[in-house]
Amino acid sequence: MQENTKWQNRDLAVLWHPCTQMKDHEAYPPIPIRRGEGVWLEDFDGRRYIDAVSSWWVNIFGHANPRINAAVKQQLDTLEHVILAGFSHEPAVTLAERLVEITPPGLSRCFYADNGSAAVEVSLKMSFHYWLNRGQHKKTRFICLSNSYHGETLGALSVGDVALYKETYAPLLMESIVVPGPDCYAREQGESCADVARRQFAHMERALGQHADEVCAVIVEPLIQCAGNMRMYDPEYLRLLRDACNRFGVHLIADEIAVGFGRTGTLFACEQAAVTPDFMCLSKGLTAGYLPLAAVLTTDEIYRAFYDDYERMTAFLHSHSYTGNPLACSAALATLDIFATDNVVHRNRDLSARMYDAVAELADHPHVAEIRQTGMVLAVEMVADKPSRTPYPWQERRGLRVYHHALSKGALLRPLGNVVYFMPPYVITPEQIDTLGSIAIEGIELATHE
Ligand SMILES: *Cc1c(COP(=O)(O)O)cnc(C)c1O
């Protein structure tokens, strides 16, 4: 028996995989990976795959990166974990200092959690609790954008709008106010993305006007709605939103879990609108895909609303067992070192241009509605009919055909519905990008044929 098959059988006997209809594995068992190096993943039969999706958007500097490996190994021999309530440690302190330094001005406090959804929960609870501590008892709701995604725990799902993840659990969720968003895919003839942002902002202005007295915060994914099929929008929307949140007395939560750490062409997406949110949620790229860690950055103004004598019961009594884990913090510190020394954001500009060139010919493809790109995220939207942008019926699972084709050619491309995208580690080479481009073009050709 081949090594892959052996592991597949053991896997399917005991494992239940995330985001998966397990019956699909009858035809296509999961691929067991024995090692990784740079952009490459290698299975137990020795086949190699370029990790074009950064292992679910987390890996930014390649697998088994020597610099991050060294940092984690050193930390491992020093301190693996310690309770962060009443105790502290060097990596947690240093990382908080550095995050405060590199995030937008005004964010001066760092609260740790251990995954993205948990960070979103923290920001929602903190916002609500801030208003409560300030005597505003009526503020209990949140505004989010259509097509948004903020994670899959119940609070995070409540402020999301991707039906695939949300609908089933609707009876368990709190009711958010969902406002039509600035998705530039919906632009009309002659409109720019900035025009769409301004036009669509009228919905937000109206919602805030109607509900501000009962709303704690507006939560958004700056510039790219990644899980919402990589839909993108103009920074103008964030500028308008920051201003409106100030005017209406509502917090702004920037969920940069997917877009932070260089993805959009700047270290943080909010920089492109020159705005400081009241809360910024970070995870995923924070540890370059090594270990689960999340941070919520917030302002002094928020922090001070919780700071009082214990008996007044205003403290933020939220915790996770692995809050601020030292190993994860050491991976994050090594990640920030790479950003600091390697001019990453600047170098990514060439890679980003190369990604577009690698698939540019698809712009004229009869079943491609558009190629869109923001920094190191490029997406190709396949449609049944180009002029009307009629989507393929989801049941046809066209994206899945691209996925299987890519695997057979040595690439991990995992489309979202009918959207094929590249979100590779920043250590990818121009030649590897070209390879991905050819594989994607062939895959899309096959998937849209007949
Ligand atoms: C992935 C993601 C989350 C959730 O993070 P998890 O670590 O998977 O819980 C939240 N928000 C955004 C924008 C994400 O992309």
mmCIF file of all heavy atoms in Angstrom, residues 93 98 102 170 183:
data_model
loop_
_atom_site.group_PDB
_atom_site.id
_atom_site.type_symbol
_atom_site.label_atom_id
_atom_site.label_comp_id
_atom_site.label_asym_id
_atom_site.label_seq_id
_atom_site.Cartn_x
_atom_site.Cartn_y
_atom_site.Cartn_z
ATOM 1 N N VAL A 93 5.266 40.781 26.644
ATOM 2 C CA VAL A 93 5.504 42.222 26.836
ATOM 3 C C VAL A 93 6.116 42.824 25.574
ATOM 4 O O VAL A 93 5.643 43.834 25.047
ATOM 5 C CB VAL A 93 6.444 42.470 28.042
ATOM 6 C CG1 VAL A 93 6.801 43.952 28.149
ATOM 7 C CG2 VAL A 93 5.798 41.968 29.331
ATOM 8 N N ARG A 98 5.711 46.042 20.540
ATOM 9 C CA ARG A 98 5.954 46.188 19.104
ATOM 10 C C ARG A 98 4.662 46.333 18.314
ATOM 11 O O ARG A 98 4.610 47.062 17.321
ATOM 12 C CB ARG A 98 6.805 45.018 18.604
ATOM 13 C CG ARG A 98 8.225 45.153 19.157
ATOM 14 C CD ARG A 98 9.147 44.078 18.692
ATOM 15 N NE ARG A 98 9.380 44.127 17.250
ATOM 16 C CZ ARG A 98 10.174 43.277 16.619
ATOM 17 N NH1 ARG A 98 10.796 42.323 17.299
ATOM 18 N NH2 ARG A 98 10.345 43.364 15.318
ATOM 19 N N ILE A 102 3.673 49.437 15.752
ATOM 20 C CA ILE A 102 3.474 49.326 14.295
ATOM 21 C C ILE A 102 2.026 49.492 13.851
ATOM 22 O O ILE A 102 1.771 49.713 12.670
ATOM 23 C CB ILE A 102 4.018 47.985 13.732
ATOM 24 C CG1 ILE A 102 3.280 46.790 14.341
ATOM 25 C CG2 ILE A 102 5.516 47.875 13.948
ATOM 26 C CD1 ILE A 102 3.688 45.451 13.748
ATOM 27 N N ALA A 170 -28.751 30.178 12.577
ATOM 28 C CA ALA A 170 -29.464 31.447 12.798
ATOM 29 C C ALA A 170 -30.276 31.479 14.098
ATOM 30 O O ALA A 170 -30.250 32.481 14.815
ATOM 31 C CB ALA A 170 -30.330 31.784 11.596
ATOM 32 N N ASP A 183 -18.916 46.540 -1.833
ATOM 33 C CA ASP A 183 -18.318 45.598 -2.784
ATOM 34 C C ASP A 183 -18.230 46.175 -4.201
ATOM 35 O O ASP A 183 -19.251 46.470 -4.828
ATOM 36 C CB ASP A 183 -19.194 44.327 -2.784
ATOM 37 C CG ASP A 183 -18.695 43.275 -3.750
ATOM 38 O OD1 ASP A 183 -17.639 43.495 -4.376
ATOM 39 O OD2 ASP A 183 -19.381 42.241 -3.862
#
